[in-house]
C-alpha cells in the first residue's frame, strides 16, 4: 500500500450495501450516522441522496473527520487494509 500512487473511492459496509439494495427495490430507507464535515463525509452524503436513501438523521461533526478504510487490490489472498475509524466523527456519535 505504501507504494501506491493512485486510488479509487467507493462506499461500502453492510449497512450501506443492504440499504442501497432495499432502496433500489423501492423500499423506503433512512440512514442514521455521524459524518465529518470533510470531503469524504460529503461524498457519502451525496451518494446516499443519489441512491434515494433518507439523510435527515445524518449529523455532521465540525471537528472530527469521517472514518475511512484503505484496501489494496490483490489477485489472490487477503488484501492489506488500513482502517482509520478511531477518533472519527462516528466514534463521537453518542456524545
Amino acid at each position: 500500500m505504501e507504494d501506491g500512487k493512485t486510488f479509487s473511492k467507493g462506499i461500502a459496509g453492510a449497512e450501506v450495501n443492504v440499504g442501497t439494495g432495499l432502496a433500489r427495490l423501492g423500499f423506503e430507507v433512512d440512514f442514521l450516522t455521524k459524518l465529518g464535515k470533510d470531503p469524504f463525509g460529503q461524498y457519502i452524503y451525496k451518494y446516499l441522496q443519489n441512491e434515494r436513501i433518507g439523510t435527515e438523521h445524518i449529523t455532521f461533526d465540525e471537528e472530527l473527520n469521517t472514518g475511512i478504510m484503505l484496501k489494496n487490490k490483490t489477485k489472490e489472498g487477503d488484501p492489506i487494509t488500513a482502517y482509520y475509524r478511531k477518533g472519527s466523527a462516528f466514534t463521537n456519535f453518542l456524545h
Side-chain angles (χ1 to χ4, degrees), residues 28-32 48-49 52-58:
E28 185 176 327
V29 178
D30 289 321
F31 204 72
L32 172 66
L48 296 171
Q49 288 183 318
R52 295 181 181 89
I53 295 174
T55 56
E56 70 179 88
H57 302 292
I58 294 177

Side-chain angles (χ1 to χ4, degrees), residues 47-92:
Y47 172 88
L48 296 171
Q49 288 183 318
N50 288 337
E51 290 293 337
R52 295 181 181 89
I53 295 174
T55 56
E56 70 179 88
H57 302 292
I58 294 177
T59 57
F60 287 91
D61 193 300
E62 299 284 337
E63 297 175 19
L64 300 175
N65 289 323
T66 303
I68 63 169
M69 180 176 66
L70 305 174
K71 184 177 358 179
N72 75 322
K73 288 187 176 185
T74 182
K75 292 184 180 185
E76 56 185 65
D78 292 330
I80 298 170
T81 59
Y83 196 32
Y84 300 98
R85 183 174 177 187
K86 186 176 182 180
S88 70
F90 184 76
T91 60
N92 194 33

Side-chain angles (χ1 to χ4, degrees), residues 7-19:
F7 77 97
S8 60
K9 63 182 174 180
I11 305 295
E15 297 83 359
V16 172
N17 294 342
V18 170

